Amino acid sequence: MSMHDPPHPGEFIREIYMEPFGLSSRKVARSLNVAASTFIRLLHCESSVTPEMALRLAHVFGRTPESWLAMQDHYSLWHAKQKVDMRDVKKLELTSV
């Protein structure tokens, strides 16, 4: 079942971890061992979770890397479905030779 307008991982991090625990973006960036600007772009939904970032997030926040990547995939796919015009995309009829 697909989710309606799933959250970006950056939104999730802000709402579940940053705000309730009073974490600063610089503190989390240091824990992730990334530049503060890199983490801030993620928080502002300006960048996506990569496999490397998923590993870092899993280590710092505890969830699995797969869960971070799945969250990003759900967000990205939902937004692509809103934008991509599929009317002229035609299915191939594949038959074996």
Side-chain angles (χ1 to χ4, degrees), residues 7-15 18-19 23-26 35-49 53 72 75 79:
H8 185 278
E11 292 176 86
F12 181 83
I13 292 167
R14 279 195 322 268
E15 292 174 14
M18 305 281 297
E19 292 167 5
L23 298 171
S24 74
S25 54
R26 292 194 183 279
S37 60
T38 298
F39 184 61
I40 290 168
R41 281 193 305 276
L42 179 64
L43 287 179
H44 291 158
C45 310
E46 296 168 357
S47 66
S48 300
V49 172
M53 182 59 83
Q72 181 65 58
Y75 174 86
H79 283 274

Side-chain angles (χ1 to χ4, degrees), residues 23-83:
L23 298 171
S24 74
S25 54
R26 292 194 183 279
K27 180 176 183 169
V28 176
R30 277 193 304 273
S31 292
L32 291 167
N33 194 31
V34 297
S37 60
T38 298
F39 184 61
I40 290 168
R41 281 193 305 276
L42 179 64
L43 287 179
H44 291 158
C45 310
E46 296 168 357
S47 66
S48 300
V49 172
T50 63
E52 293 83 2
M53 182 59 83
L55 289 168
R56 293 170 189 271
L57 292 169
H59 190 75
V60 170
F61 292 118
R63 301 167 56 92
T64 66
E66 293 82 3
S67 71
W68 289 107
L69 291 172
M71 188 182 306
Q72 181 65 58
D73 285 346
H74 288 134
Y75 174 86
S76 298
L77 184 57
W78 189 87
H79 283 274
K81 285 179 179 179
Q82 309 315 303
K83 294 178 186 175

